[in-house]
Amino acid sequence: MNLNTIKITGMIALAVVLGSCQKGDLLSNPNVANENSNVPVSLLLNHLTWSMYRGGGVVEKSSNSVGEEPFGQVGRWNQYTASTNAYYRGTNAYAFSNTATAYDLLRYANQMESKAIVQLGAVNNIYGALSKFFKAYSFVWLTQRVGDIPAAEAGNSANLTPKFDTQKEVYRRSLQLLDEANTMAGASIKPAVGVDNSATVVPGDIFGLTYLQWQKVINSYRLRVLISLSKRADDNTDLNIKQQFSDILTNTSKYPILTSNTDNLSFKYNATVNKFIYNPDETYNLFENVGKTYLDITTSSMDPRTFITSTPAPAEIASGKTVSDFTAYVGSSTAQTQSTLSANDALGKYSYVNYKRYFATFIGPDPAVIIGYPEVCFNIAEAINRGWAGGSAATWYQNGINASINSYGLSEGQSYDIGNVKGVTLGKVTISISNFLNHPNVKYKGDNSDGLKQILQQKYVAFFENSGWEAFYNWRRTGIPEFANNGPGINPSGVIPLRWQYPLEEQNNNNANYKAAVAAQYGGNDDVNQKMWMLK
Amino acid sequence: MDENKLPIPGVSIKIKGTSNGMSTGNEGTFSIVAQKGQALLVSSIGYIAQEVIIDERSTYTIVLKNDAKILSEVVVTALGIKKDVKKIGYATQEIKGSELVKAREPNAINSLTGKIAGLTVGGNAEMLGRPQLVLRGSTDLLFVVDGVPVNSDTWNISADDIESYTVLKGPNAAALYGFRGQNGAILVTTKKGTKDGRGFNVDFNSSTMFEKGFTALPKTQALYGYGNDYKYAYGNDLYDLDGSYRRTNVWGPKFDGQGVAQYDSPIDPATGIRTKTPWLSKGAKNFENFMEMGLLSTNNLSLSASGEKYDLRTSVSHTYQKGMAPNTKLNVDNLNIYGGYNFSPKWRMDGNLNFNSQYTPNIPDVSYGPNSYVYQFKVYGSASWDLNDVRDYWGGARGRPGLVQNYVEYGRHNNPFFTANEWLHGHQKTDINGYAKLSYKLNDDWNFSLRSQVTTWHQLRTEKVPPSTNLNQYVNDYYFNKTNGLYNIWYGDYREDQRSLMEHNHDFLANYNKKINEDFSVSGSAGANLRTFEYNSTWATTYALTLPGVYTLGNSQGPVKSYNFGSKMQVTSGYYTLDFGIKNWLNINTTGRVDKLSTLPKGHDVFFYPSVSLSTVISDYTKLPEFISFLKIRGSFADVRGALTSPTIGTAYNALTGNTVGSLLGGGTYGGYGTELYSSYDGPNYDNQNSYSVNTYYNNTPSVDFSKNIASDKIKPFDVKSYEGGTEVKFLRNRLGLDFTYFTSINGPLVFQLPVANSTSYATESVNAITSKKKGWELSVTGTPVKTTNGFSWDVMANLATYKETLSKIYDGVDGWAVNNHNYKVGERLDGIYGRAYVRAPDGQIIHDASGLPLAQQAGVNNNQLLGYANPDFVFGFNNRFTYKNFSFSFQFDGRLGGKIFDYVYAQSMNAGTALDLVEGQYGDARLKEWQSTNGGTVNATGAMVGNGVVITSGTPHYTNGKIDNFDQLTFAPNTKAVTLRNYIQNGVYGLFDEPFMVNRSYVKLREVVIGYSIPKKMLGKSFIKSASISLIGRNLLYFAQRKDLDLDQYASGFNLSSKSLGGKQSDLQSSTARRYGFNINIGF
């Protein structure tokens, strides 16, 4: 090999090597968009609304997150159903431990807020209003589970050890955010003379609400938050709880609220992607009974919703009862162990979830309500009953019941097929709404504790498999209706816990602040049976 | 020449007492001027030195004998540099390729099982399953072929082309490969041209093995069939759509011949009601009858040649495997070409190309779900039907050709013949790697080389899901129901997974080797490398097809869901290695490497890592007792860095979103379906970025996901520091050898996504955190206990290894790391399995609640109990070889001792009612009693299961960390409450606990037996056949374990720090494994 060949070979080799050098940005992930890129705010709202439907921490797969869809674990903790098979239908026990959080909503809301200003060129826009709403929603979601939480310093990637705010302060801040959200939503509906966005559907929203409907949701949610503080309304006058409630009621043009079921914040199922939780493919309903807490109320008041939600207990029918006999509908008690329930269920003692209604289609019978009109009515009725505002509690109580009945599409004299656990028709009943409304248990007993109990009971019935944790929180606040409790099925200690423990990540990574908060509230013991400020 | 009459190049020839000398050439010849009476000193590494006295002859043929004192004199080390084994200061172990080509495994790497101390091979019994390699607890090993890293799924390594495997056991050995070698490397040296005196050589090697006779098989009962609470009836509808026991477990009535409405019971035309026919066990052996004999056939033909200036080798292999599951097979073609040419004594060019092609129309999918045969036959298998009734899978009363399968059950699973012949999982992969190298030898001291190498592969996996496939809700769009009297039939799905990878390595290497004088030697190399990397993948599904039976993406009913992922990376490196030798007293080896990595932020992207090792051969300069013939001690230190790359990658969907394809296809109540396939990758993982990715959640509307990790531009490379010491001793004239290594490594801080307080609204932040410490040792013993003069010898090789990994640091100010169901604290073993345990009385009895079920453990991470450790205490291999004249006999036992695993098959079959345990002992008695109480299934059962244990009769238990701490306030009495067995198992034992299914991880296998006979040379005479041998072979012949329902072999890894996963905690469903036996023929021409 002579010198020239060597030179040539060497140069070719060098060319090959240099030619294969890669140029440009190899650091950034080419498959995604950068944090600072112009991600349309509608996509962020899409994610936020989806996360809200799924429940705190579910989309982010936070540990111990629990789906808030109908007929899930939350429904069992609300005692609407009870499972007899741990594998297929889950457990009933209140195994509360370290909570998940909904702080992911806060992260997305922060992103949406800042991007909205850039993209829409106006500070007052509907996405800004919704950002404030979701921030408040995220704080309230967590504070009512644990007590004090970081709020003022939360949601900042530059501060990894945010200080805790007291629960009272968290509520003050959240109510303030909701007030601002309402103001901003109002401004975005009529941003200029002659422009009216009232009927415009907010792009990206999976619930399909208009600008105005969202404003109604914001204020209706604020009513929910205010009434949830009923135990501390009297001794914390600086929060103006009663006043705020009454202001909203008396100025509905400034604070529009839901006026019918069509305004509901609800998730609509579809046959292709988001099928109803139950559908014709699901056959495990034989392990799911309707809860005693629910059926005891409906059957003792001739409530036609009994027939809608439940099937008659097989043993009762076998013993000769007709399908229209309310005593044929028997609920199972969460206080009993799954073993006992399973043994009784094998004997046909309990009612099942109505197959005909809930398992027959892919889109399901109803949308999943998250904030609904019946609840608004009952919240107002409760506030009036408590003397927070003027008006007729009886009327709002009646409105709430009617709204719930309407949502099931029931009408007086309607003939309704009753099926068994597999949907095989057993017989017919005639729906009587009047018998129900005239039942002494249902006729409003006045603005006293009996009346309050009726409001809360009917609210519980209206919450059947919707509105997430509300049924549980209402029971926790008022003790109404009486939940199955103090039994071996509840959990190893036998008592329904009143709160969750703080997340492990908060304990591990924000330890000093966590310890201080637990010391200040619970004597240093992050225990699930202790009472937080709002329950005292 | 050597004892086989082959020439030895490079032999040193010296005239005694003078400095005159030279070396033999390539053909082993030499010429030297010497006088009669002078003595020639003839010596070469690996041979016993000789003195030849010069007489009248002018030519001498000198035969050098192998020096048994040194067993394997030269080993291949990093960068393919060969080194004298005496001078190495770290642990390596070599195994000859020829030892592994007889008792074949479909995958060459599976053959390494039990042969290397410290290397655990989790042999994967699945077709195209990748064996899990664990070296000192790490699973991410680098494969290096002829000095260049290749990207390998291990299936593209052709056993017949391998001269030797060398395992570099830790970063000390692999420091020169940079971060890819952080856990050690497997170096493969391929065969080159022949040394045969004729100048050419032809070799034919053929193995044929059959697979039959299960060694690990779930045991199921055949006394009770489908149903719930001893009741069962197939509905009146053709497809059981109206039945109450659709998708039922196997808790039904006993097979007593009583009347039960079954799939083949006739419907009374008058009433439309299905009549009852005798309920009998018809298919207790359905699974065994369904499975077929497997076949593994490998054939290799190689031709090599060499001449004065060239050496060449070409080799063609074909592997055909027929699986035990019907209609599964795999073909692998491999072509290997090597050529080297010496232009001049100084210039040499050589190159190698390996082409590998894998193709199959169908391999089984074994993960939990209606796709798995074990799920169909074992977990939810009822003996109530006969396999022969469903052989015609489109036929029968219920079948609709091409549209609806004929089966006995339409709720949970599929006709197995339908699965086998219609639901096909195709695989095609092409792997190419090769290099071209130019070397220049300046003089005896210096040589240089320039090399360009490429490794690339392309893979296509397809899944054809036929109409009416029952996906048991694992896919949302599955439905099989009736609306308005018409059956809705899902027309199936088509899924496609394409991946391709291209990697180039260009390197330059300068070597220097100088013996300064008798006492000092210096050698060293310096080099530079440019590595460029590109990867692209797509994954797509139709969800639902428009036309049945047409498997294309275009035939999609709705929009095709399609995902892409691509990545690029570049690494530029410079490195050196420098060795000093001072007599035999001390050898010092140092290495250093600088990398510039494109995956790290500027300012932190250049980093250096050093290693140093020392060794000394004490026996060379110290008088030791007679029985010690060799003693060497060694020690080394290495520091390896790297960052933000991932050793493996899943589907494009997984790479993009972090979710598995199963969660996309399932995501329903019962989790995902199908196996996420991980390929070897070694590319960027983009873990440290705040970004948005596209997604869709609601009704195909667009949505985004925003990172939940806080990225950082201050990330530094991770750091692995490894210390190692060891000794090699040989006793009794090398009849017994012992090699011991102790190692410890500090792994971290990693580039880690450290959990942050939830209130930051983020989940993690990228920091340098989490450090673990590994400690362990490896011992290998080789010996020849018997060696007689008549040709009989018995050779033994045994090895034993152990290690433990503990958490040594988390992060400043953070005192717990919550992962894998436990909040780990510093000092705890990271392979601890935590979960739900029974609550026990002081005497150890299980506490039951008032309803008769075992009392549930309190919920929450802090209440989880330690259930055992995932890593075995010891991994061992024990190999014996007997030779007598032309016969040889060898066998190997290997296994692992200690550790626990959650037996998923056991747990699921207990829940489903099929486990054999449920008809034996106390469970069996209770079940029979309950069945008898039902009066032939007509009345409700009376519970007869009284759990062994106690109940609390007074006092309320108080718990700390899930354990009762107030026993003094409690009184106990025996449990007397009877419940039904199903209730006890499903809602109690299975529903509430992990503990009952934690089984011992120990096992021992009789891995291989080879009986060989090589035909004596004289019998072959002057025929064209030069050598021939035949062997009878068997693999996996015996299996010993606590529960033989799963083959523990493939669960080699417990905790793996790089993925932070305790993947070895739980088994999955797996194909039942069987014995393999056959014969091997090896002929040389």
Side-chain angles (χ1 to χ4, degrees), chain A residues 1 6 9-10 13 16-18 20-23 26-37 39 42-44 46-47 50 59-61 64 84-89 91 95-99 101 103-104 106-108 110-111 115 150 153-157 159-162 206 267-275 277 279-284 286-287 337-340 342-343 346-348 355 362 421-422 488 492-493 503-511, chain B residues 228-229 231 241-244 246-247 249 343 347 368 380 412 438 450 452 472-473 476-481 506 530 532-534 564-570 598-602 656 659 669-670 686 689-693 697-708 710 754-762 765 813-818 823 849-853 855-862 908 911 940 957 959 979 982-983 986-987 990-992:
Chain A
M1 220 165 170
I6 294 167
T9 317
V16 167
V17 172
L18 292 179
S20 62
C21 245
Q22 290 179 330
K23 304 281 186 321
L26 296 178
L27 184 66
S28 305
N29 186 347
N31 307 291
V32 296
N34 184 282
E35 180 179 18
N36 303 317
S37 53
V39 172
S42 60
L43 302 192
L44 285 158
N46 190 287
H47 185 109
W50 170 256
V59 172
E60 302 252 297
K61 300 193 183 77
N64 296 330
T84 58
N85 186 301
Y87 185 59
Y88 292 113
R89 287 267 74 97
T91 55
F96 290 8
S97 60
N98 306 96
T99 183
T101 76
Y103 278 124
D104 55 328
L106 178 61
R107 187 169 90 251
Y108 278 88
N110 283 337
Q111 292 287 323
K115 290 200 191 295
E153 294 186 1
N156 178 358
S157 64
N159 180 1
L160 298 182
T161 53
I206 66 170
F267 181 88
K268 285 114 193 141
Y269 295 91
N270 56 72
T272 51
V273 182
N274 313 94
K275 295 177 182 174
I277 308 302
N279 58 54
D281 285 342
E282 172 65 70
T283 63
Y284 293 120
L286 64 152
F287 296 122
T337 63
Q338 224 164 14
S339 160
T340 308
S342 170
L347 302 174
Y355 185 95
F362 287 98
V421 66
K422 288 298 295 179
S493 23
L504 271 183
E505 292 78 14
E506 205 73 39
Q507 300 181 25
N508 281 338
N509 306 88
N510 192 10
N511 191 260
Chain B
N228 203 37
D229 292 327
K231 292 177 197 158
L241 300 182
D242 60 341
S244 296
R246 201 179 163 211
R247 199 178 290 147
N249 290 167
F343 295 101
W347 288 93
Y368 185 86
Y380 295 105
R412 187 188 291 280
L438 185 66
L450 192 64
S452 186
N472 191 11
Q473 289 191 326
N476 287 330
D477 284 78
Y478 158 73
Y479 50 87
F480 190 80
N481 57 76
H506 306 286
L530 170 70
T532 60
F533 174 95
E534 185 169 354
N564 292 80
F565 179 84
S567 63
K568 284 183 180 183
M569 181 172 75
Q570 179 164 300
S598 70
T599 58
L600 282 166
K602 286 260 174 300
L656 206 55
N659 300 322
T669 323
Y670 311 108
Y686 303 117
Q689 319 228 340
N690 284 0
S691 59
Y692 286 98
S693 56
Y697 294 108
Y698 183 70
N699 209 9
N700 294 323
T701 56
S703 190
V704 284
D705 291 329
F706 180 56
S707 319
K708 53 184 179 180
I710 305 170
L754 184 75
V756 292
N758 313 62
S759 52
T760 60
S761 80
Y762 290 82
E765 61 164 332
V814 180
D815 60 10
W817 178 26
N823 197 23
D849 65 21
S851 70
L853 294 191
L855 187 62
Q857 175 192 290
Q858 293 217 310
V861 166
N862 287 327
Q908 291 296 336
N911 183 55
N940 288 312
Y959 298 87
V979 296
R982 183 184 69 79
N983 189 355
Q986 288 197 325
N987 293 331
Y990 174 87
L992 300 175

Side-chain angles (χ1 to χ4, degrees), chain A residues 253-269:
Chain A
S253 60
K254 186 181 175 194
Y255 296 109
I257 56 173
L258 306 190
T259 52
S260 75
N261 282 324
T262 55
D263 287 339
N264 288 354
L265 181 74
S266 62
F267 181 88
K268 285 114 193 141
Y269 295 91

Side-chain angles (χ1 to χ4, degrees), chain B residues 823-848:
Chain B
N823 197 23
Y824 288 85
K825 297 283 193 310
V826 168
E828 285 186 317
R829 270 177 72 169
L830 286 165
D831 63 331
I833 304 174
Y834 290 81
R836 300 167 301 169
Y838 287 122
V839 183
R840 292 173 188 276
D843 60 358
Q845 295 212 68
I846 297 168
I847 301 178
H848 286 64

Side-chain angles (χ1 to χ4, degrees), chain B residues 688-994:
Chain B
N688 183 32
Q689 319 228 340
N690 284 0
S691 59
Y692 286 98
S693 56
V694 176
N695 206 337
T696 174
Y697 294 108
Y698 183 70
N699 209 9
N700 294 323
T701 56
S703 190
V704 284
D705 291 329
F706 180 56
S707 319
K708 53 184 179 180
N709 178 54
I710 305 170
S712 161
D713 53 8
K714 297 185 182 64
I715 283 297
K716 291 184 202 139
F718 67 71
D719 192 6
V720 175
K721 286 192 178 68
S722 171
Y723 305 83
E724 172 185 302
T727 181
E728 286 152 52
V729 198
K730 296 199 171 83
F731 301 98
L732 306 171
R733 294 166 181 269
N734 301 329
R735 285 284 280 274
L736 178 66
L738 195 146
D739 188 329
F740 177 83
T741 308
Y742 174 85
F743 65 89
T744 173
S745 62
I746 312 294
N747 314 286
L750 307 175
V751 173
F752 185 70
Q753 295 192 341
L754 184 75
V756 292
N758 313 62
S759 52
T760 60
S761 80
Y762 290 82
T764 54
E765 61 164 332
S766 287
V767 291
N768 289 100
I770 303 291
T771 307
S772 85
K773 187 170 188 176
K774 282 184 209 169
K775 278 183 189 172
W777 52 263
E778 291 143 8
L779 173 68
S780 67
V781 178
T782 48
T784 309
V786 180
K787 187 168 188 170
T788 64
T789 46
N790 66 0
F792 178 78
S793 73
W794 172 24
D795 298 308
V796 173
M797 185 187 78
N799 55 62
L800 185 66
T802 183
Y803 81 97
K804 284 189 178 61
E805 183 168 16
T806 52
L807 181 60
S808 64
K809 183 158 196 254
I810 299 170
Y811 192 65
D812 283 333
V814 180
D815 60 10
W817 178 26
V819 66
N820 302 328
N821 286 328
H822 182 59
N823 197 23
Y824 288 85
K825 297 283 193 310
V826 168
E828 285 186 317
R829 270 177 72 169
L830 286 165
D831 63 331
I833 304 174
Y834 290 81
R836 300 167 301 169
Y838 287 122
V839 183
R840 292 173 188 276
D843 60 358
Q845 295 212 68
I846 297 168
I847 301 178
H848 286 64
D849 65 21
S851 70
L853 294 191
L855 187 62
Q857 175 192 290
Q858 293 217 310
V861 166
N862 287 327
N863 294 323
N864 283 337
Q865 304 296 313
L866 178 62
L867 301 175
Y869 293 101
N871 288 333
D873 297 332
F874 292 101
V875 178
F876 77 95
F878 181 55
N879 203 310
N880 284 277
R881 183 183 165 86
F882 303 90
T883 46
Y884 178 66
K885 293 189 174 161
N886 291 314
F887 290 94
S888 69
F889 169 60
S890 68
F891 65 91
Q892 176 180 315
F893 279 98
D894 61 67
R896 303 176 202 138
L897 303 174
K900 288 277 176 76
I901 189 166
F902 183 91
D903 186 338
Y904 194 61
V905 182
Y906 180 35
Q908 291 296 336
S909 59
M910 283 289 276
N911 183 55
T914 47
L916 189 63
D917 297 33
L918 295 172
V919 295
E920 292 178 336
Q922 191 196 7
Y923 291 157
D925 293 345
R927 197 167 186 177
L928 183 62
K929 211 169 155 190
E930 286 170 16
W931 162 247
Q932 286 161 350
S933 77
T934 65
N935 189 23
T938 55
V939 298
N940 288 312
T942 307
M945 177 61 206
V946 181
N948 288 331
V950 294
V951 290
I952 298 172
T953 49
S954 74
T956 308
H958 183 269
Y959 298 87
T960 302
N961 292 336
K963 284 193 171 133
I964 296 178
D965 58 6
N966 64 336
F967 284 123
D968 53 333
Q969 293 162 23
L970 306 175
T971 56
F972 298 95
N975 174 43
T976 54
K977 176 85 180 172
V979 296
T980 63
L981 181 68
R982 183 184 69 79
N983 189 355
Y984 192 78
I985 299 295
Q986 288 197 325
N987 293 331
V989 176
Y990 174 87
L992 300 175
F993 306 101
D994 300 314

